[in-house]
Amino acid sequence: MIPYGRQQIDDEDVQAVLEVLHSDWLTTGPMVARFEQAFASSIGVSEAVAVNSGTAALHAAYAALGITTGDEVIVPALTFAATANAAVYLGAKPMFADVDLHTGLIDPESVASRITVRTKAIVAVDYAGQPCNYAALRALADRYDLALVADACHALGAQNGKRSVGSLADISTFSFHPVKPITTAEGGMATTDNPDLAKRMRRFRNHGIDTDHRERATKGTWAYEMVDLGFNYRLSDLQCALGLAQLSRLAAWTARRQEIAQRYDAEFFGLSSVRPLRHREGVTHAYHLYVVRLAGENMRSTLFYKLRASGIGANVHYLPVYLHPYYQHVHGTQPGLCPNAEELYRQILSLPIFPAMSNTDVEMVARQVVEIVH
Ligand SMILES: *Cc1c(COP(=O)(O)O)cnc(C)c1O
């Protein structure tokens, strides 16, 4: 079976984890800061805060921005549920904005229509690995005095002009789940240029305590204070060592993903039955996903099941979040809220793309797709 995405673990990853296993610190040791610093400098920001999932990064980001009960947070409809759920964790209400039909990216006009006096933040999701229209989102955030968050879980390695994703919002979040651009099994990161936000997120990941275990050991003191309510969202040294080893290969992996996408683009060029999502001008796409639009829901289903039968694991990203039963039942959301996201949902399929995929496999997948839809 060729999956839609998968991790790549090499000897250097195994070696890096083994070294930590034989060291004094399995968690909250020296690898955390090393991974954070390498990650921050690879993106060009001053602060990176490691946490144990992308979801924890979103939760920490929203909490650090002061999002709380009664606030509204604008999120795109076409995303993984965690983007919205993290607002609900804090008692805030996710307001779903529609997406552009050609890119699947949050539509700034729809965002503007969702702004109320209760709005606290806009969350951009770099769907499939392509940066959103940050200029328009920043202008809206500035005009209404809102925070801008980037859920960049798809987009590590992407750029908007010359600036890396991770440096385009007040806080940006990443996931290191195995299908994401780099992995620590489970893991996440939040980046920012604001030291105060970074400090709050570091506290939030450690029960709201103002020092961590290693700082106290180094200073030779037992005293600590819990100054806020927090969680145990720490990322272990084993995982940070793995992340650090993975990060060194990110540039090569992103280049390989782009190469695979170009091969798919060439195979589907000029077809009306299989249309890849549009690539925006002036951005470097990280291609976490390679998403095509099919003629309709029936064709999408047929293609999904026939590909599966021939050992190709395509997938659908995503059911608009507000159509999940939880949101419909608990938050009262209904079909019709975001027409473009609903239309896209019926048409989209994510084809396999990951750095270790061979050119032969890419061609085989593309030919199967074309054969099935014709
Ligand atoms: C993967 C993902 C998350 C959640 O990350 P986890 O590490 O699985 O918690 C959040 N948002 C988006 C857009 C994602 O793709």
Side-chain angles (χ1 to χ4, degrees):
M1 191 85 178
I2 304 176
Y4 82 87
R6 66 160 285 142
Q7 73 277 13
Q8 187 166 327
I9 300 292
D10 298 343
D11 289 346
E12 58 187 292
D13 297 305
V14 175
Q15 199 51 44
V17 174
L18 276 180
E19 277 170 31
V20 175
L21 269 174
H22 289 121
S23 79
D24 290 338
W25 297 92
L26 298 187
T27 192
T28 315
M31 295 314 290
V32 180
R34 281 186 56 191
F35 183 35
E36 288 180 342
Q37 280 154 19
F39 196 90
S41 84
S42 81
I43 279 170
V45 289
S46 59
E47 301 276 0
V49 179
V51 290
N52 58 13
S53 71
T55 306
L58 285 163
H59 192 187
Y62 297 173
L65 291 165
I67 291 165
T68 186
T69 310
D71 291 342
E72 293 175 358
V73 177
I74 300 175
V75 302
L78 198 71
T79 182
F80 183 58
T83 316
N85 295 351
V88 178
Y89 298 161
L90 294 161
K93 182 177 177 192
M95 302 290 281
F96 296 95
D98 209 352
V99 297
D100 181 283
L101 203 46
H102 305 289
T103 60
L105 297 173
I106 192 166
D107 172 10
E109 274 183 37
S110 178
V111 170
S113 76
R114 303 296 197 250
I115 294 173
T116 75
V117 291
R118 289 177 296 280
T119 309
K120 277 289 160 61
I122 301 170
V123 186
V125 173
D126 299 318
Y127 178 75
Q130 164 154 256
C132 298
N133 185 348
Y134 280 94
L137 296 172
R138 173 55 77 190
L140 278 174
D142 286 350
R143 183 155 155 218
Y144 294 97
D145 195 22
L146 309 173
L148 179 59
V149 176
D151 177 344
C153 287
H154 293 184
L156 180 60
Q159 290 188 313
N160 196 23
K162 291 220 174 338
R163 286 178 66 188
S164 295
V165 160
S167 70
L168 304 165
D170 298 315
I171 303 180
S172 305
T173 64
F174 297 90
S175 164
F176 306 132
H177 179 276
V179 296
K180 302 292 163 75
I182 64 170
T183 191
T184 62
E186 298 283 358
M189 192 76 85
T191 58
T192 181
D193 271 314
N194 181 324
D196 183 51
L197 291 176
K199 190 174 148 197
R200 287 177 199 220
M201 293 192 286
R202 288 208 167 84
R203 234 163 38 199
F204 191 78
R205 78 171 167 198
N206 190 34
H207 309 281
I209 293 172
D210 57 358
T211 56
D212 69 34
H213 181 72
R214 188 155 174 264
E215 284 172 302
R216 290 194 295 279
T218 314
K219 281 190 196 143
T221 174
W222 46 264
Y224 69 82
E225 286 179 315
M226 192 199 111
V227 294
D228 259 328
L229 186 62
F231 289 78
N232 177 354
Y233 279 165
R234 297 184 303 259
L235 192 63
S236 71
D237 271 48
L238 294 173
Q239 291 169 296
C240 288
L242 178 55
L244 199 54
Q246 293 258 305
L247 188 61
S248 68
R249 287 165 359 257
L250 174 66
W253 287 345
T254 308
R256 177 61 188 152
R257 285 175 181 276
Q258 289 162 345
E259 219 170 76
I260 293 170
Q262 273 171 15
R263 283 175 180 268
Y264 275 135
D265 284 347
E267 296 279 348
F268 301 140
F269 184 78
L271 298 180
S272 56
S273 48
V274 187
R275 290 171 298 161
L277 286 187
R278 209 173 272 169
H279 192 143
R280 297 184 61 227
E281 290 286 321
V283 305
T284 310
H285 198 316
Y287 284 109
H288 162 57
L289 303 174
Y290 186 87
V291 180
V292 293
R293 293 171 69 189
L294 288 314
E297 203 164 7
N298 289 339
M299 182 52 79
R300 195 267 304 276
S301 276
T302 306
L303 184 56
F304 175 87
Y305 289 111
K306 288 201 172 167
L307 286 176
R308 250 192 108 72
S310 51
I312 299 167
N315 218 321
V316 175
H317 300 93
Y318 299 91
L319 174 70
V321 177
Y322 63 85
L323 293 180
H324 283 291
Y326 165 78
Y327 278 99
Q328 294 206 49
H329 297 154
V330 180
H331 296 263
T333 51
Q334 282 179 1
L337 185 59
C338 298
N340 287 352
E342 291 179 25
E343 182 174 343
L344 266 180
Y345 167 65
R346 291 189 286 269
Q347 301 175 347
I348 48 180
L349 198 64
S350 306
L351 301 180
I353 187 166
F354 49 94
M357 200 178 169
S358 71
N359 290 344
T360 318
D361 282 346
V362 178
E363 255 167 51
M364 191 272 286
V365 172
R367 305 240 153 115
Q368 288 275 348
V369 169
V370 173
E371 207 169 284
I372 295 165
V373 301
H374 276 96

